[in-house]
Amino acid sequence: EGRPTESLEAYELYLLGAEAKHRFTPESSLESVSYLRRALEIDPDFVQAMVTLSIVLLYQADYAPDEASAEALMIEASRMADMAVAIDPNNPDALLRLACLRTFTQADLAGAWGPTERNPDVLAVAAWCYSCADHDQSPLHWAKQAIALNPGHPDWYLAPVAMAALYAGDLDL
């Protein structure tokens, strides 16, 4: 997969931002955004920093003080994902983030996910995001398929299964 950036400083800021993101608090989210923005100031083409910033901005939209603030955060998150895909059109993280955001922000479901059958992480996230659209059994199928493809899956795979089952009305899991 190649180097994510030539700048050690930008990479260190990215790692700090990713670590702060994983604390899942409003305060750590602000800290993460600060680190990631600084990484992008150093290397404006650092795709993984853009993708991670997009994720954090979407988290922030969940606890924004009002609808206008939430919408602005979602627009910026989408812009980061669009830029990441423009820079690296084959980057699976960037493509996944863009598809997820399109599902949340535009309900752009037709073709948003593309071929995902071989990548369990993509399937799990697709199930997580698409289940919110509440259209059919596909997200539940994807979530189960992700687990089948990756028997040693991380614990977070269970969240998409639960979300997809809930929206599909399959409460007997």
Side-chain angles (χ1 to χ4, degrees), residues 53-173:
L53 179 56
S54 178
I55 292 167
V56 177
L57 293 169
L58 190 59
Y59 289 162
Q60 287 182 326
D62 284 342
Y63 49 83
D66 54 61
E67 192 172 320
S69 298
E71 185 174 338
L73 288 163
M74 290 172 65
I75 288 169
E76 186 178 2
S78 293
R79 187 175 62 83
M80 285 290 117
D82 283 330
M83 287 173 38
V85 169
I87 292 167
D88 188 354
N90 295 314
N91 183 298
D93 292 332
L95 291 168
L96 178 64
R97 177 63 16 212
L98 185 60
C100 188
L101 278 157
R102 285 181 177 168
T103 299
F104 278 127
T105 61
Q106 303 164 12
D108 181 7
L109 305 175
W113 293 103
T116 61
E117 278 70 28
R118 293 179 305 248
N119 186 314
D121 288 348
V122 172
L123 279 169
V125 174
W128 201 338
C129 295
Y130 188 66
S131 65
C132 298
D134 196 24
H135 284 274
D136 60 22
Q137 295 283 327
S138 294
L140 185 54
H141 169 75
W142 293 338
K144 289 177 179 179
Q145 188 176 357
I147 287 175
L149 287 170
N150 186 359
H153 60 82
D155 289 342
W156 69 263
Y157 272 42
L158 300 177
V161 172
M163 287 283 293
L166 177 66
Y167 282 103
D170 184 353
L171 304 179
D172 294 325
L173 271 180

Side-chain angles (χ1 to χ4, degrees), residues 38-50:
R38 287 173 38 210
L40 288 168
E41 286 173 9
I42 295 166
D43 182 354
D45 294 332
F46 188 176
V47 169
Q48 199 57 41
M50 288 177 197

